Amino acid sequence: MSRSALICMLGLLFAFSAAPLQAGGLTFGVLGGMYSPNKGLDDNDNGLAFGANIQFKFTAVAVKLEGLIIDSSGRYNDILGEDRFGGTDIDVENIISADLLFYPLGTTFFLQVGLNRTNMDKDNIELEIVDNETGFEVGAGAMFFDKLSIQGKILYTPDALESSAVDTLDNLDDTDLMSFLVTAGWHF
C-alpha cells in the first residue's frame, strides 16, 4: 500500500470517528468557571461563575442558551471622598447568553458568537448607574467525548454604565464593560 493511500485511509478513519461528535441532538449541561471584568468595572473582584446551558447541535453548528450566576463585586468611591459620602457597591449578579457555535472541519473545537445580558446591581447610591446590559461576545472552546466542554469568551457591553456615574465615582473609569469568562462544563 502506498504512503498516500495510507494517509487517505487514516483521514477517512478520522472523519468517520468524528461523525458521532457531530450528530445532532439536544444536551443539557452544568458549568463552573471564572469571570473577570477588565474594562469599566475593573475594580470588581474576579468572581466565580456557576450555571447551566441547553445546546442543540446540528451537523457542524450548534445553538446554545446559557445562564450563569456570577459573584463579582466592587466598591467605587465618590469623587468627593469616601469619608463624605461613603462608597458605592456595584455587583455583577448573572449573565444570560445565546450563542451560535461553529465546529470547523468536524473537529471537537468550536468558535462562538452571540449576545448576552449582564445583570448588574448597585447599592448605597441614588444615582442611576446602569445604562445598557445587552452586549456581544466571541469565544472559542472544545467539546470532548460529547460530555466535557471547555470555553473562553470575551464579553463586551457598549455603554453599560451611565456617563454621569463615571463622572461621579472616582475609580469608575469607562462607560463600556469588557470582561472575560472561562468555564468548564459537563453535558448530560
Side-chain angles (χ1 to χ4, degrees):
M1 186 181 299
S2 72
R3 182 179 220 183
S4 61
L6 181 62
I7 291 172
C8 186
M9 288 182 68
L10 287 174
L12 286 173
L13 180 63
F14 176 73
F16 288 131
S17 67
L21 294 173
Q22 294 200 33
L26 184 67
T27 60
F28 170 77
V30 293
L31 306 168
M34 294 292 296
Y35 172 80
S36 176
N38 102 339
K39 181 180 176 186
L41 297 177
D42 57 343
D43 280 4
N44 274 37
D45 301 330
N46 293 336
L48 296 175
F50 297 101
N53 69 11
I54 296 173
Q55 177 175 310
F56 187 77
K57 193 176 195 184
F58 301 96
T59 304
V61 295
V63 175
K64 178 177 65 171
L65 300 175
E66 189 171 74
L68 295 163
I69 297 170
I70 306 293
D71 178 25
S72 175
S73 61
R75 189 157 183 85
Y76 297 86
N77 298 324
D78 192 282
I79 57 171
L80 298 177
E82 186 177 350
D83 298 337
R84 190 154 182 181
F85 290 101
T88 299
D89 297 320
I90 302 175
D91 301 329
V92 176
E93 295 188 333
N94 57 60
I95 297 173
I96 300 168
S97 63
D99 297 317
L100 179 65
L101 284 67
F102 173 63
Y103 292 82
L105 304 175
T107 65
T108 59
F109 299 99
F110 59 85
L111 303 172
Q112 63 184 349
V113 295
L115 298 173
N116 68 66
R117 182 161 178 86
T118 304
N119 295 315
M120 293 175 273
D121 188 31
K122 63 177 177 68
D123 198 18
N124 299 332
I125 192 169
E126 297 299 320
L127 181 68
E128 189 58 43
I129 290 177
V130 179
D131 184 24
N132 176 33
E133 295 180 320
T134 303
F136 311 97
E137 58 190 35
V138 295
M143 176 77 79
F144 300 103
F145 313 113
D146 277 347
K147 297 291 183 188
L148 176 65
S149 70
I150 299 172
Q151 71 174 347
K153 296 183 187 183
I154 300 171
L155 294 82
Y156 177 73
T157 306
D159 297 323
L161 304 168
E162 291 280 354
S163 58
S164 58
V166 174
D167 297 337
T168 305
L169 300 174
D170 187 31
N171 49 346
L172 196 61
D173 63 349
D174 200 336
T175 60
D176 300 333
L177 174 62
M178 189 171 86
S179 52
F180 299 103
L181 178 68
V182 176
T183 62
W186 187 260
H187 291 255
F188 301 98

